[in-house]
PDB file of all heavy atoms in Angstrom:
ATOM      1  N   SER A 355     -95.918  33.291  62.753  1.00 40.00           N
ATOM      2  CA  SER A 355     -96.421  34.396  61.945  1.00 40.00           C
ATOM      3  C   SER A 355     -97.934  34.327  61.874  1.00 40.00           C
ATOM      4  O   SER A 355     -98.496  33.374  61.345  1.00 40.00           O
ATOM      5  CB  SER A 355     -95.826  34.325  60.527  1.00 40.00           C
ATOM      6  OG  SER A 355     -96.347  35.346  59.729  1.00 40.00           O
ATOM      7  N   PHE A 356     -98.594  35.314  62.450  1.00 40.00           N
ATOM      8  CA  PHE A 356    -100.046  35.402  62.403  1.00 40.00           C
ATOM      9  C   PHE A 356    -100.426  36.322  61.259  1.00 40.00           C
ATOM     10  O   PHE A 356    -100.263  37.530  61.347  1.00 40.00           O
ATOM     11  CB  PHE A 356    -100.612  35.939  63.715  1.00 40.00           C
ATOM     12  CG  PHE A 356    -100.421  35.020  64.881  1.00 40.00           C
ATOM     13  CD1 PHE A 356     -99.255  35.053  65.605  1.00 40.00           C
ATOM     14  CD2 PHE A 356    -101.397  34.104  65.229  1.00 40.00           C
ATOM     15  CE1 PHE A 356     -99.066  34.211  66.677  1.00 40.00           C
ATOM     16  CE2 PHE A 356    -101.216  33.256  66.296  1.00 40.00           C
ATOM     17  CZ  PHE A 356    -100.052  33.306  67.024  1.00 40.00           C
ATOM     18  N   MET A 357    -100.908  35.754  60.179  1.00 40.00           N
ATOM     19  CA  MET A 357    -101.299  36.553  59.026  1.00 40.00           C
ATOM     20  C   MET A 357    -102.803  36.695  59.002  1.00 40.00           C
ATOM     21  O   MET A 357    -103.521  35.692  58.923  1.00 40.00           O
ATOM     22  CB  MET A 357    -100.820  35.899  57.725  1.00 40.00           C
ATOM     23  CG  MET A 357     -99.307  35.809  57.635  1.00 40.00           C
ATOM     24  SD  MET A 357     -98.513  37.423  57.738  1.00 40.00           S
ATOM     25  CE  MET A 357     -99.160  38.172  56.260  1.00 40.00           C
ATOM     26  N   PRO A 358    -103.324  37.899  59.119  1.00 42.00           N
ATOM     27  CA  PRO A 358    -104.778  38.060  59.082  1.00 42.00           C
ATOM     28  C   PRO A 358    -105.339  37.698  57.715  1.00 42.00           C
ATOM     29  O   PRO A 358    -104.810  38.090  56.685  1.00 42.00           O
ATOM     30  CB  PRO A 358    -104.971  39.556  59.380  1.00 42.00           C
ATOM     31  CG  PRO A 358    -103.672  40.188  58.995  1.00 42.00           C
ATOM     32  CD  PRO A 358    -102.609  39.167  59.228  1.00 42.00           C
ATOM     33  N   THR A 359    -106.419  36.913  57.735  1.00 39.00           N
ATOM     34  CA  THR A 359    -107.074  36.544  56.487  1.00 39.00           C
ATOM     35  C   THR A 359    -108.019  37.655  56.068  1.00 39.00           C
ATOM     36  O   THR A 359    -108.933  37.997  56.815  1.00 39.00           O
ATOM     37  CB  THR A 359    -107.881  35.239  56.675  1.00 39.00           C
ATOM     38  OG1 THR A 359    -106.973  34.240  57.137  1.00 39.00           O
ATOM     39  CG2 THR A 359    -108.502  34.801  55.363  1.00 39.00           C
ATOM     40  N   PRO A 360    -107.830  38.268  54.911  1.00 42.00           N
ATOM     41  CA  PRO A 360    -108.679  39.397  54.535  1.00 42.00           C
ATOM     42  C   PRO A 360    -110.131  39.016  54.339  1.00 42.00           C
ATOM     43  O   PRO A 360    -111.017  39.742  54.697  1.00 42.00           O
ATOM     44  CB  PRO A 360    -108.042  39.890  53.231  1.00 42.00           C
ATOM     45  CG  PRO A 360    -107.275  38.712  52.712  1.00 42.00           C
ATOM     46  CD  PRO A 360    -106.826  37.954  53.905  1.00 42.00           C
ATOM     47  N   PHE A 361    -110.392  37.843  53.816  1.00 42.00           N
ATOM     48  CA  PHE A 361    -111.765  37.392  53.660  1.00 42.00           C
ATOM     49  C   PHE A 361    -111.767  35.897  53.386  1.00 42.00           C
ATOM     50  O   PHE A 361    -110.759  35.301  53.047  1.00 42.00           O
ATOM     51  CB  PHE A 361    -112.491  38.140  52.527  1.00 42.00           C
ATOM     52  CG  PHE A 361    -111.756  38.101  51.222  1.00 42.00           C
ATOM     53  CD1 PHE A 361    -111.930  37.064  50.327  1.00 42.00           C
ATOM     54  CD2 PHE A 361    -110.871  39.107  50.905  1.00 42.00           C
ATOM     55  CE1 PHE A 361    -111.246  37.037  49.146  1.00 42.00           C
ATOM     56  CE2 PHE A 361    -110.183  39.077  49.708  1.00 42.00           C
ATOM     57  CZ  PHE A 361    -110.370  38.039  48.837  1.00 42.00           C
ATOM     58  N   ASP A 362    -112.903  35.296  53.564  1.00 42.00           N
ATOM     59  CA  ASP A 362    -113.056  33.857  53.416  1.00 42.00           C
ATOM     60  C   ASP A 362    -113.303  33.527  51.948  1.00 42.00           C
ATOM     61  O   ASP A 362    -114.388  33.740  51.433  1.00 42.00           O
ATOM     62  CB  ASP A 362    -114.223  33.367  54.283  1.00 42.00           C
ATOM     63  CG  ASP A 362    -114.321  31.841  54.285  1.00 42.00           C
ATOM     64  OD1 ASP A 362    -113.425  31.212  53.684  1.00 42.00           O
ATOM     65  OD2 ASP A 362    -115.279  31.313  54.850  1.00 42.00           O
ATOM     66  N   THR A 363    -112.299  32.984  51.299  1.00 40.00           N
ATOM     67  CA  THR A 363    -112.427  32.694  49.876  1.00 40.00           C
ATOM     68  C   THR A 363    -113.321  31.495  49.613  1.00 40.00           C
ATOM     69  O   THR A 363    -113.746  31.285  48.483  1.00 40.00           O
ATOM     70  CB  THR A 363    -111.050  32.424  49.268  1.00 40.00           C
ATOM     71  OG1 THR A 363    -110.412  31.363  49.996  1.00 40.00           O
ATOM     72  CG2 THR A 363    -110.170  33.669  49.368  1.00 40.00           C
ATOM     73  N   SER A 364    -113.631  30.696  50.634  1.00 41.00           N
ATOM     74  CA  SER A 364    -114.500  29.554  50.402  1.00 41.00           C
ATOM     75  C   SER A 364    -115.925  29.966  50.098  1.00 41.00           C
ATOM     76  O   SER A 364    -116.701  29.186  49.551  1.00 41.00           O
ATOM     77  CB  SER A 364    -114.489  28.632  51.631  1.00 41.00           C
ATOM     78  OG  SER A 364    -115.013  29.333  52.754  1.00 41.00           O
ATOM     79  N   ASN A 365    -116.304  31.191  50.452  1.00 41.00           N
ATOM     80  CA  ASN A 365    -117.654  31.665  50.200  1.00 41.00           C
ATOM     81  C   ASN A 365    -117.777  32.421  48.882  1.00 41.00           C
ATOM     82  O   ASN A 365    -118.811  32.985  48.577  1.00 41.00           O
ATOM     83  CB  ASN A 365    -118.114  32.589  51.337  1.00 41.00           C
ATOM     84  CG  ASN A 365    -118.280  31.837  52.633  1.00 41.00           C
ATOM     85  OD1 ASN A 365    -118.826  30.748  52.638  1.00 41.00           O
ATOM     86  ND2 ASN A 365    -117.782  32.404  53.714  1.00 41.00           N
ATOM     87  N   MET A 366    -116.706  32.464  48.108  1.00 43.00           N
ATOM     88  CA  MET A 366    -116.748  33.189  46.849  1.00 43.00           C
ATOM     89  C   MET A 366    -117.316  32.298  45.762  1.00 43.00           C
ATOM     90  O   MET A 366    -117.037  31.109  45.699  1.00 43.00           O
ATOM     91  CB  MET A 366    -115.347  33.672  46.450  1.00 43.00           C
ATOM     92  CG  MET A 366    -114.763  34.688  47.408  1.00 43.00           C
ATOM     93  SD  MET A 366    -113.179  35.304  46.836  1.00 43.00           S
ATOM     94  CE  MET A 366    -113.660  36.060  45.314  1.00 43.00           C
TER      95      MET A 366
END
Side-chain angles (χ1 to χ4, degrees):
S355 177
F356 293 86
M357 297 301 296
T359 303
F361 53 87
D362 187 5
T363 56
S364 63
N365 293 317
M366 295 184 62

